Amino acid sequence: MIASFGFGVLVLTFLVSLYGIGAAVYGVRSGKAAWVESARHAQQLTFPLVSLAAGALVYLLVTGHYEVSFVYSVTSNAMPLYLKITSWWGGQAGSLTFWIWLLSAFTTAVTLRRWERDREFLPWVIVVSLVTVAFFLALVIFFENPFNRFWATPTGEVEAFFQPANSVPIFPSDGRGLNPLLRHPGMIIHPPMLYLGFVSFVIPFAFAIAALVTGRTDDRWIRLTRRWTLVAWLFLSLGLVLGGRWAYDVLGWGGYWGWDPVEIAAFMPWLSGTAFLHSVMIQEKRGLFKRWNMVLIILTYCLVIFGTFLTRSGVLSSVHAFAQSAIGPMFFGFIGVMFILSLALLLYRWTDLEAEGHMHSLLSRESLFLFNNLLFMGILVVCFSGVIFPLVSELLTGQKVTVGPPFYERATAPLFVGLLFLMGVAPLSAWGHSTIRTLGRALWKPALVSVVVLGLVLLAGVRSFGALLGFWLVAFTASVTLYEYGRAVLARARRTGENLWMAFWNLAGRNRRRYGGYTIHLGIVLMAIGIIGIEIFQQETQGTLKAGDSIQLAGYTVTYRKLDEFDAPDGRNVARAVVDVSRGGRYLGELHPRRDYYYASQQPMTIPGVRSTLEDDLYVLLVDWRPISAEGATFKVFHNPLVNWVWIGGIWLIFGTLVAAWPDRDPEVEQARTVGRERLARQTA
Amino acid sequence: MSKKVFLLVSLLMMVAALVGGLAQRVQAQQPTPSDNDVNRVARQLYCPVCENVPLDVCPTTACQEWRELIRLKLSEGWSDEQIKEYFAMQYGDRVLAEPPQRGLNWLIYVLPPVAILAGAVLVIRILRRMQAKPTPAEAAPAVLLSPEDEYLKRVEEELKRAEKSGR
Amino acid sequence: MDRGEVMSVSETTPRRLPTVVIVLAFVLLLGFLALIAWGLRRSMSGPISVGDRVPDIQMITFDGQTIHSRDLAGKVIVVNFWASWCKPCEQEARELEEAYQYFKDSGKVVFLGLAYVDTEPNSKAYLEKFGITYPNGPDLRTTVSQMFRIRGVPETYIIGSDGRLAAVKIGPFQSTQEIIQTIQPLIH
């Protein structure tokens, strides 16, 4: 009953979106504003409708309606309530519904804004958003229906929404339960963040397409969507950081980033989105690179859709794709149409997107931004070829290959180094005109500080070239950024007579975008410290220990005490080891690495015992154990120096993005308010 | 300023830890070849049956067998390279962390650098061309920005411009 | 490969976009889409289906003997994928050997065992344990299993005397009788 209701609402939403697309196009063609207004209402109707369907699905999940196949596959009686709710996005059909819900929320929010100055954009923004909504709805309705039920037919069990002939419904008493890998807090909030990032990139894309269709080629579309882009970037970054944290805590390989195709699929739109965030500033300040910005935002949207396609259609995994998805061909069709239309539109308007200004100097801020874009695109090209190459190889030679971390690390390391360096130089170069002299004058103090730091690192005994270069760059960029803050704060304090804190507060408050950006840079620097630590100085060792034996790594001593095996009430078998950690003879505490085995899904999980400090992490894994005999257990121990700075930097970066994206008072709204007040005053007078 | 100090201190702490760690590194009693030797090789290989799981962290029984095979080969005196080749021969190229540099695979080693170089050439050409024709109004240099008051003026100006143009 | 690269080429052209660039941009995009379409079709299409001609299978047995399936034309070929780490494979190991013995003297049926991602010492121990005597070898580079797109072990593919796939068994055979009954009608 509820399932039928949910499905009916989805179908209705689909029809409403189709109507909205038609009405918008007809309205703009015939010049009848009422039709556009009607399309806008259709758009605004999608969110409440999808919310109803989503509510139905969540209700089914929470109440354990296992006759619905999606509910059966992701929940079980033993799961706590919050997991039953969040298992909404724990499987393909549900997560697509979740995605549609977020998408309709964002696109509806956009149509709620005031449109006085930008009325010509409205119909096309509606068309692009509704086409995307309608496409994903079609995927759900035709291929991945979360409301499908189990039926017993004479030939066997089937999943379908409508009752097949001669069949009876099946009501299982318990479900299979959520994949244990997905029961981690990081994994519960990681997908929503990633999806939020993905769907909010639809909005700048919709405005860009609207600008192309209407031929309004000034930077209005960029100004309108600036905040959306930052929000998209914020969520995408948060999603990536959380994904890394999840991998570190749950996957048990001592790292947070494995250059897996699924990770890269989410990383690619982040790269082009970051490039876009930088290059729009050139267009705003100097009127340059209009075409390039269009290319970047279209590329970002295409990468979002393409990444979703890659990870969901099974096109990348061929030999062992047990669950082949039927959504592939339709998804492919959508991608093809969107890519070709965007390209055609872009080329059609190419001549209109002529730059208005000129470059003056190779060292000016805008040309440094151009190099920044080059490096981001370079990393993107490496990632893209790495993801796509196994497919090419399999198709052309029949041999599947793996493109793993060594390839990506070798290819992207110099590019990342270049980016870090630019991050240090660019904030000090001026818009329009910079020379070696002006730049040198601005840079020498921070450069001196960084050289001192380099000396200290050398004195401390680090000899690895990569580490020295990395730490120097980190010190350089950090000092430049802090110098930028400091200089402006001091100058302002001197001029206005405010104390330093007030000066800092007002300065940052009045140009949040600039200082939010610098805060993000500092976040990246902190993350870089962690990445250098784990990439260059990570150590590991493995050994089989009898009770009382110990193993040494990086000055730590890990002593095996005992191991307990027991069944936990939520359907898993736990083998939990107790080890003591000491350093230099000083006892530091116990760690409990364990192996959980989930009976229902027959899946083992290795949960590390981690001692985490700002200086380093000691990460102990239980690899193997002999249950009865006294032979003991095998442990793998990782020493991950500085890894916590990755998370600290991540939080810092999120904070900086919040600062930059926090809404200002809208001048248009302000103006409208003033006008209204005046009118009111006149009327009352 | 205190942030920088904090940063420095943490850097130094780390460095001290590393140096200490290197000096005190002592191996526990290990079978020969040790688990660490096996992991060294296994880390460079991928599990042949799972997608994208390195062999040293793969928890399945099959992977344990393969790690034992590596141990066996090591004890027979094989080099890391020989073992990797043997695995590629037995289980296909996908067990290697990188495509072997032969046949069609050169594409992936050549194309990205070529694309990046092409991009760099392009960027430089664009910069040259755009530099070539400055209009007189724009060509006026943004004056030499020396002391801090001038800097602040610039900041304030930019702020004003931002406030006027954006929202 | 990257559309952005192509289009920014024309950033340097002040007036109209050269036709060459437009064509090139579309060709690259369509080429990319074609590649994805090809990959998608391949990932959607199933294994070689019954009735299809089976390409040549090459294997090197554990004894070092090289076998080509094309040299065996006119005979029924039973290709069994197994692994020593695979529990269900053990259920059919003895049965396969018995079926092999049953058909051995007729000379019309060939049994080939391919060890799927297994280690050589374990494979040999497995063969010894179940007393298997028909030719067995590793599936080098997983070429044959990729050809059939097997999804796991055990799987058995029976090629008729005409060189076309005649029968497929996913999972273990339940009895010697089942194997014999599957093969018998294929012998002419």
Side-chain angles (χ1 to χ4, degrees), chain A residues 432-447:
Chain A
H433 194 78
S434 270
T435 62
I436 293 279
R437 266 185 60 204
T438 59
L439 205 54
R441 195 167 328 152
L443 279 176
W444 74 268
K445 282 183 209 160

Side-chain angles (χ1 to χ4, degrees), chain A residues 233-250:
Chain A
W233 192 85
L234 167 73
F235 285 122
L236 202 48
S237 312
L238 197 55
L240 288 169
V241 171
L242 283 171
R245 181 71 214 197
W246 168 74
Y248 190 73
D249 285 350
V250 168

Side-chain angles (χ1 to χ4, degrees), chain A residues 402 404 410 460 511 541-542, chain B residues 15 30 36 39 94 97-98 159:
Chain A
T402 305
R410 196 150 20 85
N511 197 352
T541 187
Q542 179 176 328
Chain B
V15 165
Q30 293 271 7
N36 287 336
N39 280 337
R94 87 186 129 179
E98 281 185 285
L159 286 179

